[in-house]
Amino acid sequence: MSLLSIDKLNAGYGEIQVLFDVSLHINEGEIVSIVGGNGAGKSSLLKAISGLIKPMSGSVSFRGENVSRVPADEIVTRGLVHVPEGRRLFSLMTVYENLEMGAYNRNAKANFKRNLEEVYALFPRLAERQKQLACTLSGGEQQMVAIGRGIMAQPKLMMLDEPSLGLAPVLKKDIFAAVKRIAIDYETTIVLVEQDLVNSLAISDRAYVMEQGQVVLEGESQMLLTDPHVKAAYLGV
Ligand SMILES: Nc1ncnc2c1ncn2[C@@H]1O[C@H](COP(=O)(O)OP(=O)(O)O)[C@@H](O)[C@H]1O
Ligand SMILES: [Mg+2]
């Protein structure tokens, strides 16, 4: 049984539909990339999965239960955590306080200290900067806090929306390496939304390619790197 399974999902904003019959599945322990250009519907898909927008039709099931009508905070408590695009930190709060905000659900509260140690082990830089205000951090450090806040919620499945966006190449490498470590060390299943196809396919097992609100291709990440459509449309070769 898949950890997450989406069947013919249609969703959008008010009257405007942006996702069309999206079906996909994520197995426990996998890293799965969702790639595609700007406006393809990647962020909307994550919002629909995490309960931030309600589906028009279709289903989202997590751990065998249909969650398409479950409130967003309850979905987090059940272990499905969304690290949104653009980091969305509390800019006038410290690194520590931002991490604390990730731990508000009942399961995460019980293991607060252990989870915090895990975040600091993964990103030692955050331990050094615990008391610094989020707005004074570099882009890469802010992304570390956003991911760290996700870990504090103790996810079974973590969905990351463009974690490498806007970062210098060397920092991008650190972020992709951290994502891989989260999957391996903490046995967290990962959905990785990215526009950086090469790096995301390099660390993922499988991938889905989205265009205009639909899944147009899916397969093993290594296979997709050699797919003629992917090469022509996304890799410029
Ligand atoms: N809050 C919103 N209200 C209305 N339309 C939106 C909203 N957010 C995104 N969209 C539209 O949904 C489509 C998909 O956007 P998005 O999911 O953000 O794509 P991606 O993350 O792949 O760049 C776009 O056409 C975008 O304009
Ligand atoms: Mg997006």
Side-chain angles (χ1 to χ4, degrees):
M1 189 185 66
S2 298
L3 183 60
L4 178 73
S5 155
I6 294 165
D7 190 41
K8 295 205 171 67
L9 180 71
N10 289 285
Y13 303 89
E15 303 275 274
I16 306 161
Q17 184 170 354
V18 300
L19 296 175
F20 301 89
D21 280 339
V22 173
S23 294
L24 55 82
H25 67 277
I26 314 289
N27 299 319
E28 195 155 351
E30 281 189 313
I31 302 181
V32 176
S33 294
I34 297 176
V35 297
N38 245 328
K42 306 180 300 297
S43 297
S44 301
L45 174 60
L46 296 196
K47 285 184 212 165
I49 295 170
S50 60
L52 299 174
I53 60 174
K54 294 296 164 205
M56 295 163 170
S57 66
S59 70
V60 177
S61 41
F62 179 59
R63 302 168 99 168
E65 288 176 57
N66 189 342
V67 293
S68 39
R69 305 281 151 196
V70 173
D73 60 334
E74 172 61 21
I75 291 177
V76 174
T77 302
R78 292 186 191 187
L80 203 169
V81 170
H82 179 181
V83 177
E85 190 175 25
R87 297 151 202 161
R88 306 271 169 77
L89 301 181
F90 299 96
S91 58
L92 294 177
M93 286 168 61
T94 64
V95 167
Y96 178 87
E97 287 163 344
N98 269 280
L99 293 174
E100 213 174 19
M101 295 302 285
Y104 72 92
N105 77 77
R106 62 178 176 271
N107 298 334
K109 266 186 195 140
N111 298 314
F112 179 81
K113 267 194 77 176
R114 191 198 67 195
N115 294 337
L116 187 67
E117 277 165 20
E118 284 185 353
V119 171
Y120 288 158
L122 184 67
F123 299 122
R125 207 162 236 269
L126 298 186
E128 294 160 15
R129 287 163 193 263
Q130 286 187 71
K131 292 181 182 153
Q132 193 169 323
L133 292 184
C135 60
T136 66
L137 299 172
S138 71
E141 289 161 355
Q142 289 188 16
Q143 189 58 62
M144 291 173 196
V145 177
I147 295 172
R149 191 173 55 183
I151 294 172
M152 293 303 293
Q154 209 175 294
K156 183 94 189 125
L157 172 67
M158 180 146 86
M159 306 192 294
L160 298 150
D161 197 349
E162 301 212 33
S164 83
L165 189 70
L167 302 183
V170 51
L171 286 172
K172 277 192 178 201
K173 276 187 84 175
D174 289 349
I175 294 297
F176 283 107
V179 171
K180 186 94 191 172
R181 267 194 66 189
I182 294 165
I184 293 169
D185 296 357
Y186 312 140
E187 295 177 357
T188 306
T189 305
I190 305 269
V191 172
L192 177 61
V193 162
E194 266 294 339
Q195 288 195 50
D196 183 333
L197 257 80
V198 173
N199 279 308
S200 58
L201 293 182
I203 66 157
S204 57
D205 302 299
R206 288 188 302 117
Y208 292 87
V209 180
M210 286 188 76
E211 285 173 11
Q212 297 176 355
Q214 294 178 296
V215 171
V216 295
L217 263 178
E218 61 176 284
E220 286 181 14
S221 299
Q222 287 309 311
M223 297 279 288
L224 286 179
L225 277 173
T226 61
D227 181 273
H229 174 74
V230 170
K231 284 166 91 171
Y234 300 99
L235 304 175
V237 289

